[in-house]
Amino acid sequence: ELYAWLSARQRKSVQRSIALAGVRGAGKSAIGKLLAARLGIPFVEFDALIEKEAGISLVELFRIHGEGYYRKLERAVMEKFLSQSPRAVLATGGSLVTDRETWALVRRECQTIWLKARAKDHWDRVVAQGDMRPMVNNPTAMDELRTLLKSREPLYGQAELIVDTSRHTVEVCVDLIVKRLQAESRRDGNRAGHREKSVPMPR
């Protein structure tokens, strides 16, 4: 009975890290930095954590070791981050959702948000960042991007919240996310209070 009572009390809402998902150019860095500042918590680029752990860039990592090694390292770094780091806003890699176990781990441990955008906006933002590599000598690059977005929609759609960054500015996106988080926090607080009242201390 004591164990059951303690377990019920421990189900209070715990503030989890916030994981932003989406293909490159979705706005994860811009929105993530502003959201983290609003919440007063760190902003973390997950790709940077992987590069730090590997000691080489992601491009070199894929070239030398291949995708299989990358996925194992990605999961190990994510497990370490979630178990050791304080609450943060985490910009995940665009392909993380394609690894079922890692994406399930992130959805279980974090509040997940899909930053959704039109293919053209993804394209324009990547170009604005100065990276032309995906487009160089590739006349079908835009079609490939549309296909990629379409194939990943069911995976990204598993996130708890979807924010359309093609329709809203960075500031409005952050406002929408903060309002949702506040509403969930109040709802979880009410549920926790109800559980405490309904689970009396065993005698």
Side-chain angles (χ1 to χ4, degrees):
E1 289 180 356
L2 178 60
Y3 177 80
W5 179 78
L6 289 171
S7 297
R9 287 184 62 86
Q10 289 303 315
R11 293 194 191 103
K12 290 182 179 180
S13 175
V14 176
Q15 288 192 319
R16 299 173 291 164
S17 287
I18 299 161
L20 304 179
V23 174
R24 186 179 174 190
K28 291 176 291 187
S29 294
I31 291 172
K33 290 175 182 176
L34 183 56
L35 177 61
R38 286 275 299 272
L39 298 177
I41 59 178
F43 170 72
V44 177
E45 291 274 9
F46 188 64
D47 284 349
L49 294 183
I50 296 178
E51 289 181 333
K52 181 178 180 181
E53 185 72 20
I56 54 178
S57 70
L58 292 185
V59 174
E60 293 175 305
L61 182 63
F62 270 92
R63 179 173 58 83
I64 297 172
H65 299 290
E67 183 177 358
Y69 177 85
Y70 170 80
R71 294 300 170 196
K72 291 180 181 178
L73 182 61
E74 177 185 57
R75 191 175 310 156
V77 172
M78 181 62 75
E79 290 173 346
K80 180 180 179 181
F81 173 81
L82 294 176
S83 65
Q84 298 181 4
S85 299
R87 186 183 185 225
V89 175
L90 181 67
T92 65
S95 65
L96 181 142
V97 297
T98 63
D99 187 287
R100 183 174 60 182
E101 292 185 20
T102 305
W103 180 224
L105 171 66
V106 172
R107 297 199 331 269
R108 184 170 62 251
E109 300 294 334
C110 302
Q111 293 173 297
T112 50
I113 302 171
W114 174 23
L115 300 183
K116 181 179 181 180
R118 294 187 297 261
K120 185 178 185 305
D121 290 320
H122 282 286
W123 179 287
D124 291 344
R125 291 165 185 168
V126 171
V127 170
Q129 293 168 6
D131 187 357
M132 297 296 295
R133 288 174 302 172
M135 302 82 172
V136 173
N137 299 322
N138 186 3
T140 63
M142 178 60 82
D143 290 334
E144 292 175 7
L145 175 57
R146 290 193 179 100
T147 300
L148 177 69
L149 290 170
K150 189 69 175 178
S151 67
R152 289 184 185 173
E153 274 188 9
L155 298 172
Y156 288 129
Q158 294 172 350
E160 297 173 48
L161 176 63
I162 300 173
V163 177
D164 192 332
T165 66
S166 288
R167 295 180 56 191
H168 306 295
T169 64
V170 169
E171 291 75 14
V172 171
C173 288
V174 171
D175 286 340
L176 291 171
I177 294 171
V178 170
K179 288 178 182 178
R180 171 65 178 266
L181 295 176
Q182 290 173 340
E184 289 186 353
S185 179
R186 288 193 296 269
R187 185 165 60 248
D188 290 343
N190 291 335
R191 288 174 181 169
H194 176 72
R195 281 196 296 267
E196 286 192 19
K197 293 176 182 178
S198 61
V199 184
M201 174 67 178
R203 299 180 181 278

